[in-house]
Structure formats: structure tokens, C-alpha cells
Amino acid sequence: MVLLQRGGVKRILQHFYSGNHGNTKSLLPAADGAAGRRRNSTAVPDVRERTLIAVKPDGVQRRLVGQIMQRFEQRGFKLVGLKMLQVSDDLLSQHYCELRTKPFYPSLLHYMTSGPVVAMVWEGHKVVQTSRTMVGHTNPAEALAGTVRGDFSFHVSRNVVHASDSPEGAQREIQLWFQRKELLNWDCCDQTITCEL
Ligand code: IDP
Ligand code: MG
């Protein structure tokens, strides 16, 4: 067995964090050189991507909140915002501004204000794209089994959950639904296990 001196271990860690190790690129920011200190969060911004997920009134009424949250936790994403609210018409009209001219818009507003919604912000590598895959097709009749909509719904008018559709859209929606102080920056203790090789 080879015993590594302290300096040697440090050099090897720096080598790995800097990405100079073939195909095994770290998803976390570069090390700052001091053991135990927080790493520079600007090196790989991708792990800080955020998305808005909301359990719609039908999902809350059907007590699906726990199962839906569990899927995001299980996937390894980090919860950074969570609240239950009765959504206002004003918030919804901004949230769904692109759908204002659709024939189903009035019934969509009625549906979304029919009871409480549980809104969440999840953070992680490619969380927007991955969440859309996990949530499934807008129309549950087209959604694959294994997706939230594919497992818990069958009609587009009651599709259980919302997920932002792009990083830009997510940013806009998060600002709409959450105040800055309602979002927490915290270190997940399993981060190096889920994000690094
Ligand atoms: P998305 O939720 O998958 O992003 P969007 O096209 O953005 O889908 O539509 C927003 C929401 O409007 C849907 O999740 C669904 O609740 C509702 N919606 C979309 N299309 C229809 C429809 O044809 N009939 C009724 N409701 C619809
Ligand atoms: Mg949408």
C-alpha cells in the first residue's frame, strides 16, 4: 500500500477538482486549496440551476404532494424553496401570460385557483430539463408511465403538476412566485457524492 504525504493528497485533489483528469470532469466548482473550506461557486454554475415545480390544486387535494416531492429528492435535487399558497388571479395571469388567448385559459384560471398549490424551487445540474422529463408530457394521455403526469393523471385539464420549461422561464417564474428571502442557499451534505466522480 502506498502512503501519500499530506502535500501529495492536496495536489491530487487539486488535479481532480481542476478537471485535468481525462473524461472525469467534476461538476462542482474548483477547490480553493484549503481542506474543509467552501469552494468557489462560480466555476461551474450549472449545479446552481433552479426550476419552479408546483403541485396544482388537484395534486394537493389528492394528497400527492409527498410522492411528488420524493421523486425530486430521490433524483438528488436540492430543495431551496417551499410554500403552500392560494394563488391569486394576478399571479396566474403573469405566470400563464403566453396562454391568455387560448380557449382553455378561463378554465385553467378556475382550476388553478380552486384550492391551494404547493410551490417549490429545486436546484441542481440540468434541473429544468430533467424535471420536464420527470413530469412528462403536458397531456397526461401522451405522458409516459414513470412520469408524474403519466402515473397520476389522464386528462390535460387536471395534470397535477407544473414545471418550468426553460432556464430563462424558470428564472422569471421563481421571481414571480418567491421573494428572494424565501429561497435558501444551503450545503447539502451528500453534494460531493451526487456531483463528483
Ligand atoms: P406545460 O404545463 O406542460 O408547460 P403549457 O402548454 O405551458 O404546458 O400549458 C400550461 C397548462 O395549461 C398545462 O399544464 C395545463 O394545465 C393547461 N393546458 C394546456 N393545454 C390545455 C388544453 O388543451 N386544455 C386544458 N388545459 C390545458
Ligand atoms: Mg408551460
Side-chain angles (χ1 to χ4, degrees), residues 57 60-61 83-92 109-119 177:
V60 176
Q61 293 286 351
K83 65 179 170 187
M84 185 182 219
L85 69 164
Q86 178 68 43
V87 188
S88 67
D89 284 349
D90 183 44
L91 171 58
L92 277 179
L109 287 197
H110 180 71
Y111 161 45
M112 290 296 291
T113 54
S114 65
V117 166
V118 172
W177 288 69

Side-chain angles (χ1 to χ4, degrees), residues 93-108:
S93 60
Q94 291 183 66
H95 177 79
Y96 283 133
C97 59
E98 289 166 2
L99 301 177
R100 268 179 207 164
T101 57
K102 299 284 183 188
F104 58 81
Y105 183 71
S107 58
L108 176 60

